[in-house]
Amino acid sequence: MITRTLARAGLAAGGALALGLVLAGPASAHVTIRPDVDTAGSYAKITVRVPNESDTAGTVQVKLDLPADTPIPSVRVQPHAGWTAELTTTQFPEPVQVGDRTLEEAVTAVTWTAEPGVRIGPGEFDEFAISVGPLPDAGTYLFPATQTYDDGEIVAWAEETVEGQEEPDRPAPVLEVVEAPAEDEVDTVADEEPAADSESGSDAEAASADGTDDDGSDGLARGVGIAGLVVGAAGLGIGAAALRRRNA
């Protein structure tokens, strides 16, 4: 009876999980970027994941806008077979100070366009990568994206997600930039980690102890074997002497 009850509970839980996955599927089919959290001042490889949401058309162009108010000094595109990438560079009315760099222009958008015969078809997704850095100061930054289908439909992923409110239908990809840990914090973490030498020493001692035991066991076995040979030889000698006396 208990087994049957547990089985029913398992089926119910499995059904609820499956239903949850089905309901969550469409909501998660957004254009997103990974990682969505990184460290200020660092260089990052940002991957743009583009799912195709149309049942009949294919995605043939993807545009990613970079933060214009806080420009990123270096933007490089990873080659992607079947697609060409175009960088949009913006000239600033006045030089912009970013860290220790003074920028008069910066890349503010990257556009990937499919070559003839290439597309992200229904039920498919693709990923496009860029290398950017150094990342701006800590904060939340939007990377609006535009997805173009081969039937002419254009979908803008540009709505801002507000904490505490429902997610919008077309949320913009977001990058959360956090402060890098202070050097003293890094040193503290390093001091708290177990020393590799002491661990190695323990392993070495254990190995040495094992080796000593093995050597002792081998020595005992050899001693027993030699004693057995001696006893056997003595037995053969006694037997031979007895045979000679019988024959005499």
Side-chain angles (χ1 to χ4, degrees), residues 216-234:
S217 300
D218 291 343
L220 178 60
R222 285 195 294 269
V224 173
I226 293 172
L229 290 175
V230 172
V231 173

Side-chain angles (χ1 to χ4, degrees), residues 113-139:
T113 303
E115 298 176 355
V118 177
R119 69 175 189 168
I120 307 172
E124 299 177 344
F125 79 95
D126 208 340
E127 295 180 333
F128 307 88
I130 57 176
S131 174
V132 299
L135 293 179
D137 295 335

Side-chain angles (χ1 to χ4, degrees), residues 5 7 9-10 21 29 31 48 52 54-55 85 87 96 98 103 117 170 176 186-187 194 207 219 222 225 242:
T5 302
L21 292 175
V31 174
V48 187
N52 193 90
S54 174
D55 294 330
L87 302 180
V96 177
V98 180
L103 303 180
R170 304 294 182 188
E176 187 75 24
V186 175
D187 294 339
R222 285 195 294 269

Side-chain angles (χ1 to χ4, degrees), residues 6-226:
L6 291 175
R8 289 200 191 100
L11 289 174
L17 177 60
L19 179 60
L21 292 175
V22 169
L23 294 177
S28 62
H30 301 330
V31 174
T32 57
I33 60 175
R34 291 291 182 274
D36 54 6
V37 178
D38 215 312
T39 306
S42 67
Y43 283 78
K45 176 183 178 181
I46 293 180
T47 301
V48 187
R49 176 170 293 182
V50 183
N52 193 90
E53 293 192 320
S54 174
D55 294 330
T56 58
T59 300
V60 292
Q61 189 177 83
V62 178
K63 179 185 177 185
L64 185 72
D65 292 324
L66 307 182
D69 296 336
T70 52
I72 300 175
S74 175
V75 179
R76 299 175 185 272
V77 178
Q78 179 173 302
H80 193 93
W83 297 72
T84 58
E86 179 182 358
L87 302 180
T88 300
T89 302
T90 299
Q91 296 278 344
F92 303 127
E94 296 180 358
V96 177
Q97 191 70 27
V98 180
D100 58 353
R101 305 188 185 191
T102 301
L103 303 180
E104 296 182 355
E105 63 179 20
V107 174
T108 54
V110 182
T111 303
W112 291 271
T113 303
E115 298 176 355
V118 177
R119 69 175 189 168
I120 307 172
E124 299 177 344
F125 79 95
D126 208 340
E127 295 180 333
F128 307 88
I130 57 176
S131 174
V132 299
L135 293 179
D137 295 335
T140 301
Y141 298 90
L142 300 184
F143 286 69
T146 304
Q147 183 175 12
T148 302
Y149 290 88
D150 54 12
D151 63 355
E153 181 184 6
I154 299 176
V155 178
W157 302 90
E159 298 178 82
E160 183 176 359
T161 301
V162 180
E163 187 176 356
Q165 298 183 10
E166 291 186 5
E167 184 180 65
D169 293 335
R170 304 294 182 188
V174 176
L175 175 63
E176 187 75 24
V177 178
V178 298
E179 291 287 356
E183 292 184 3
D184 54 350
E185 294 180 4
V186 175
D187 294 339
T188 301
V189 172
D191 292 340
E192 291 176 352
E193 293 180 352
D197 293 342
S198 61
E199 182 178 352
S200 300
S202 300
D203 294 341
E205 292 175 4
S208 176
D210 292 342
T212 302
D213 292 343
D214 291 342
D215 291 343
S217 300
D218 291 343
L220 178 60
R222 285 195 294 269
V224 173
I226 293 172

